[in-house]
Amino acid sequence: MTTSSHSIPQSSASSSDAPRDLQAEERIAAFDVLIEAIASLSQAGSLPVTGSAVRLEMGRLTYGGFDPKRVGYKRFRDFLDDAEGRGHVEIDRDRPGDVAVAIPGSSPEAGFTSRMRSDLWKAFSDWNPRTSRFYDLNEDRVVTLPTEPAPLEPTRYTEIRKRISENSSGFVEIKSISRQKQLDWMRDFALLVTDPEVSRVLTEALKSDHPARYFVVVLRSFPSLLNRWHNTLRERVYAEVLKWRDSDSRLATVQIDQMDSSASPPPTQLREEPVGLAGTAGRRVVEGTQKHAHDLDVVQFFASQTPGKVAQSRSPLRQRLHEAIERMPESELRKISIPVGYLFED
C-alpha cells in the first residue's frame, strides 16, 4: 500500500462482483452524506432533526443525486433503519409525527446555547464557490442562486436575478466562510486535542484528498470530541455572522437566532471520558467493529501515516483489534474490509 496517496484502500473483487461492490461503495458514501446532513441541520439549530428534513438535506448536498433505491433500499425509512443498525445514527420513534434522527452521543455540550437560523447557517458555512448568497432585506431571509446564469435555469433564479438587478439596495451580499478558513479551524482544533495520538490522526486526516470529510469520520469515533468540535464550529460561524451584521447598518435588525427557542432542548453536559485511541472512546471503536467498519478503516489508515514509525511494539489500538478479532465469529470476520495486500505480506 502506498501511504502517501491518502485515499482509503479498498478490497479487490472480481469483475462479476463489480456492480455489487459499486453499490456498497455508494452506500458508504450515502452514510457519510447522512451524517453530514444531520450535523448541518443540528448545527443550524434545526432540532429535533426529522427524517424528512434529513432526506431533503441529503438531496441538497448531493445536488438531487441521492436515491435510497440506488443504494439498495426500497424506502428512505429502510435506509435510516439500516444506518441505525450499523451504529451511524440514533432514531427516536416515540415522538409524534416524523421520527427524529441524531448522531450517536451528539447531545450538545453546555457552554454555547445559541441556535442560529438555518438559512444563515447554510449561507455562511457552505463554501460552494459556484453559489451566490444574498440577504433579502424586504423579505428578511437569505436567497441563494448559482453565481453564473445558465440557459433554461429554473424560473425562480431568473426572478431573483431580476429583483437584485432592479433593487440592489434591498439585498446585502453574504460571503461564505471559505473552505481554507474552515480547514484552518479544523487544524487548530486538532492541535488542541490533548490526546497526542488522536491529535496526530486528525492532523493526518486533514492532509488527505478529502480533509473535511475524513476529519469528521475520525471524530465520529470519539463522540465527546465530535460534540466539542460542533460547539467550536457553531461559535466561530456565529462570530462571523455577527461581524457581517455589524458591517452594514441595514442589517442592524436582522435576527440571527432562530425565533422559536422551544424547538431546542436544553443542552446537557456529557460525562467526560478518556478520548484516546487506547481509552474509552477507542475501546468503543473496537467493540463496534461490525457496525463501524468504514470508520474504523479510516481511523486505522490515518493512524498508520506516521513517518519513520517503528513497529517494535503493538499499539493499544492494534492490541484491542487483535483481541476483538479473536472473539469474533467467522460470519462477522467476513464483513471486515481489509486491503488484500495485507493478507499476503510477510
Side-chain angles (χ1 to χ4, degrees), residues 3 59 69 93 102-103 129 151 159 196 215 217 229 251 278 280 312 343:
T3 59
K69 293 181 180 179
R93 298 177 175 82
I103 300 172
E159 292 175 349
F215 176 82
V217 169
W229 164 246
L251 301 170
T280 303
Q312 293 180 345
L343 300 178

Side-chain angles (χ1 to χ4, degrees), residues 139-198:
E139 297 189 4
D140 192 29
R141 67 184 181 94
V142 174
V143 294
T144 61
L145 69 162
T147 300
E148 297 296 331
L152 306 178
E153 70 178 5
T155 305
R156 65 180 183 276
Y157 293 146
T158 305
E159 292 175 349
I160 292 173
R161 294 185 200 282
K162 182 179 179 181
R163 288 178 55 207
I164 294 174
S165 175
E166 294 177 349
N167 181 27
S168 59
S169 62
F171 294 85
V172 179
E173 186 174 8
I174 296 174
K175 294 291 187 181
S176 65
I177 304 166
S178 70
R179 177 178 185 271
Q180 184 58 53
K181 188 167 189 174
Q182 294 191 50
L183 289 177
D184 287 342
W185 290 349
M186 294 176 193
R187 293 187 184 96
D188 292 343
F189 182 86
L191 292 174
L192 291 174
V193 172
T194 55
D195 187 300
E197 180 71 358
V198 179

Side-chain angles (χ1 to χ4, degrees), residues 196-241:
E197 180 71 358
V198 179
S199 176
R200 184 182 64 77
V201 173
L202 287 170
T203 300
E204 290 297 333
L206 288 168
K207 296 177 183 177
S208 69
D209 294 334
H210 303 285
R213 178 193 303 175
Y214 288 130
F215 176 82
V216 174
V217 169
V218 171
L219 281 180
R220 285 209 303 260
S221 297
F222 307 98
S224 294
L225 278 183
L226 181 63
N227 294 335
R228 198 172 302 160
W229 164 246
H230 284 171
N231 255 7
T232 299
L233 184 60
R234 280 196 295 267
E235 290 174 353
R236 296 201 174 192
V237 173
Y238 198 89
E240 293 294 322
V241 178

